[in-house]
């Protein structure tokens, strides 16, 4: 290994290397364009985004500056023995990678020039979960060829003068991911014997010979990837996985050649890249995901990060990608509450120091072409990596190229159908796009329904479920009329968008509004707002011979607030969450919130941040990134190890008492990967008291809440003196129209399908609502689909999810 401790001392000595005298004509094409000049052969909408990037004579050019980042989807296959599969009784065992191939092909068709697979382990110890995907044998190699061949068959438009036909082939890299102590199985290993807070299994320390064997496994995995047709690999060196665990004193207490000072701690990472380059040759892309901001105590220092970047360049890395935060970090890094591009500053910091020539890629919460263009234009990076936005819209790049940004289905960073699924072994999808990772199962082709199968369908309710059904049904050819009593579409999303950290819901409403209006212009959809639909009108239209005849009805009327049985709730101090979020009711300075589910947390956060004089909803691009970083204690200077600083909490507007009937932690049912953020936000404010095990006795004549807390000897009574009481005690399905149809004993009941919250009330579960609406729209024409079947149209349960559930039961 050529990198030594001298690297650290000399990190500031290599300046301005991008401006060397011997820069070639091709290399000049990668330099930023003059701000006052847009060349004729550049994109007129986003010139920086679609500027080609030359990666050298052996690799050629990327057609644009966007990489589809790695994310685990569950389509990567697994290593479950064939003898075990029948015992799991799984509907989908993912032994064939055709679904993965189609998934990536759709993103290549959508204009992404370089994609990275989900993490695939180089050996058994590195599995994400039990029998997760790995690449260590020729048999596993051969399964991947369907993926690479399908991607390579697609041509990506480019403005590069070196591409005579104006295109470049689709390219895809395989991410090599060894989880180390994050492994969710009992074979976990790490730099030292430690246990992560997010896995139930302690990790064993690798011996020196084991370390060298693991390096060899990385190299073997890369060689097999090349033989399978991959254009390169991404070596996962960040997010707290194995390589990252070797880099920092937090998890590396070794005393051999891979421990001690940083020259030794980085040896593992550098040798992996060095040996991979030697084995795979110069025509192979090697991306290294470098943790530039660990966000944990005893993480890497900035001097060490720079030294590693230089060492990686010396041994042949092609691109350095940015990693932000360990999975155990207590700072949000990819959730919707993170402002767009909030962490790009750290990539820019490294780029501004001009100590490496290789292209740098920035990441995290980048989901719109305007953000991409701004980051590239201000010199934050050479490339931008987006992962989840390609779930939300596989055509995000091509739509940007064509100036159709309003047609982009924007990722809202909710994590509900992607990351939350990954952590339980379930196939990923997307809340706003159920087709994601289910492309072979949910095929939405415009006009695909034959004329003799086209129905006249009435959809009642333009919330998430109703919007999804109406858009899908109209797209494939049905004649749809969409009714809603409100004056705008969106349903509960119009309340969600008001919550601090959920500003991205504006984008979902914008997208569906545009799509539905387009279907209306095409004559496929009739939108009737401010229209209250009744059973009598439904019955009339069902039996009409006129043009307004309806063949089938979709009831998507959502949910109503559950009103608990508490004496005195008619007091004017008592409000519902709808009064607060939709009707913008005035709220006092001290508030009691009844109910600590998702709505209770949302309302509490809203009341902490907004006062009654500020009723304008923020848009996603208006959220202050600097304020967010300061609030969560992120050190932009990266002067201390891990990049952590003292948190600075702004003075909240109110004092809140958040209560629930159940015993135990409040918010236990919140999202798996985001719930901790909501709890932390409230607790860090120092103005929210959380009380479990509450019985609500009454609201007195003064509007104060009388409660009993605990039970038995711990039981105590308390009068909570507040200005307002907000009811967030759950929801009940609004099934009035379905019930009336059933009770009438006529033929209408057989034509009524209830979906979304009206079918099953939950914590405003838009994921289930949009998925159900989309799936039912695709099958509503089938005679065998009857009312009640809509609840069984969900995705199949895969073998990986079954294995996760088994291991969860074993580990307790």
């Amino acid at each position: 290994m050529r990198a030594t401790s001298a690297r650290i001392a000399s990190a500031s000595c290599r300046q301005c290397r991008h401006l060397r005298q011997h820069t070639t004509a091709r290399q000049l094409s990668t330099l930023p364009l003059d701000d006052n000049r847009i060349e004729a052969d550049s994109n007129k909408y986003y010139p920086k985004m679609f500027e080609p990037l030359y990666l050298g004579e052996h690799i050629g050019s990327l057609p644009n500056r966007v990489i589809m980042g790695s994310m685990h989807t569950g389509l990567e296959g697994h290593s479950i023995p064939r003898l075990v599969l029948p015992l799991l009784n799984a509907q989908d065992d993912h032994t064939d990678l055709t679904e993965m191939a189609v998934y990536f092909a759709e993103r290549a068709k959508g204009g992404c020039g370089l994609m990275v697979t989900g993490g695939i382990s180089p050996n058994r110890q590195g599995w994400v979960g039990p029998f997760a995907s790995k690449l260590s044998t020729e048999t596993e190699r051969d399964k991947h060829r369907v993926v690479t061949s399908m991607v390579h068959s697609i041509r990506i438009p480019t403005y590069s003068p070196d591409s005579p036909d104006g295109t470049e082939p689709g390219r895809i890299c395989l991410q090599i991911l060894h989880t180390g102590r994050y492994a969710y199985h009992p074979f976990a290993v790490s730099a030292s014997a430690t246990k992560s807070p997010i896995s139930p299994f302690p990790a064993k320390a690798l011996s020196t010979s084991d370390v060298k064997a693991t390096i060899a496994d990385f190299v073997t995995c890369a060689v097999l990837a090349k033989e399978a047709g991959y254009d390169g690999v991404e070596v996962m060196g960040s997010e707290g996985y194995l390589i990252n665990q070797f880099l920092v004193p937090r998890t590396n207490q070794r005393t051999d050649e891979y421990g001690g000072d940083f020259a030794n701690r980085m040896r593992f990472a550098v040798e992996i890249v060095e040996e991979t380059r030697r084995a795979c040759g110069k025509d192979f892309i090697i991306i290294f995901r470098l943790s530039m901001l660990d966000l944990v105590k005893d993480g890497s220092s900035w001097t060490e990060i720079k030294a590693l970047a230089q060492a990686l360049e010396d041994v042949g890395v092609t691109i350095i990608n940015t990693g932000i935060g360990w999975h155990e970090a207590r700072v949000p890094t990819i959730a919707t509450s993170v402002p767009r591009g909030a962490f790009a500053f750290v990539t820019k910091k490294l780029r501004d120091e001009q100590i490496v020539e290789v292209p740098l890629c920035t990441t995290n919460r980048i989901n719109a072409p305007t953000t991409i263009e701004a980051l590239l234009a201000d010199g934050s990076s050479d490339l931008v990596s987006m992962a989840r936005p390609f779930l939300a819209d596989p055509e995000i790049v091509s739509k940007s190229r064509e100036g159709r940004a309003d047609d982009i289905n924007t990722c809202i960073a909710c994590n509900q159908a992607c990351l939350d699924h990954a952590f339980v072994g379930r196939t990923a999808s997307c809340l706003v796009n159920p087709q994601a990772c289910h492309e072979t199962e949910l095929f939405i082709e415009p006009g695909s329904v034959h004329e003799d199968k086209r129905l006249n369908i009435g959809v009642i309710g333009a919330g998430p479920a109703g919007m999804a059904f109406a858009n899908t049904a109209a797209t494939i050819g049905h004649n749809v009329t969409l009714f809603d009593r409100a004056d705008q579409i969106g349903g509960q999303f119009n309340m969600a968008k008001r919550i601090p950290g959920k500003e991205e819901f504006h984008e979902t409403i914008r997208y569906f509004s545009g799509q539905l209006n387009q279907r209306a212009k095409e004559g496929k959809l009739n939108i009737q707002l401010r229209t209250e639909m009744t059973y009598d009108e439904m019955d009339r239209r069902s039996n009409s011979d006129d043009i307004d005849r309806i063949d089938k009805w979709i009831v998507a009327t959502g949910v109503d607030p559950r009103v608990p049985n508490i004496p005195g709730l008619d007091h004017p101090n008592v409000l519902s969450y709808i009064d607060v979020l939709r009707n913008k009711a005035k709220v006092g300075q001290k508030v009691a919130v009844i109910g600590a589910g998702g709505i209770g947390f949302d309302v509490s956060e809203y009341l902490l941040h907004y006062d009654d004089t500020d009723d304008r909803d923020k848009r996603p691009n208006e959220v202050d990134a600097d304020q967010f970083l300061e609030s969560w204690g992120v050190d932009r200077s990266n002067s201390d190890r891990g990049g952590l600083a003292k948190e600075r909490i702004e003075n909240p507007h109110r004092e809140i008492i958040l209560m629930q009937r159940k015993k135990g932690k409040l918010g236990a049912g919140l999202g798996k990967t985001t719930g901790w953020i909501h709890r932390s936000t409230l607790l860090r404010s120092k103005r929210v008291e959380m009380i479990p095990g509450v019985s609500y006795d009454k609201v007195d004549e003064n509007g104060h809440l009388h409660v009993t807390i605990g039970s038995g000897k711990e039981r105590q009574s308390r009068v909570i003196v507040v200005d307002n009481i907000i009811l967030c005690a759950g929801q009940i399905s609004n099934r009035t129209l379905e019930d009336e149809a059933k009770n009438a004993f006529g033929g209408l009941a057989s034509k009524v399908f209830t979906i979304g919250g009206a079918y099953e009330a939950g914590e405003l579960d838009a994921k289930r609502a949009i998925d159900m609406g989309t799936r039912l729209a695709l099958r509503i024409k089938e005679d065998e689909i009857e009312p009640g079947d809509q609840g069984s149209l969900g995705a199949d349960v895969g073998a990986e999810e079954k294995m996760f559930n088994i291991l969860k039961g074993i580990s307790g």
Side-chain angles (χ1 to χ4, degrees), residues 96-112:
D96 185 310
L97 299 187
T98 300
E99 291 180 11
M100 177 181 170
V102 173
Y103 163 78
F104 279 110
E106 289 300 308
R107 275 78 195 161
K109 290 176 184 177
C112 185

Side-chain angles (χ1 to χ4, degrees), residues 31 51 163 175 180 243 416 437 463 509 517 620 646 691 712 723 727 776:
L31 299 177
E51 187 181 338
S163 301
Q175 187 190 74
I243 294 176
Q416 291 182 31
C437 304
I509 297 172
N517 286 331
K646 186 177 181 180
I691 310 176
D723 300 310
L727 299 180
L776 180 60

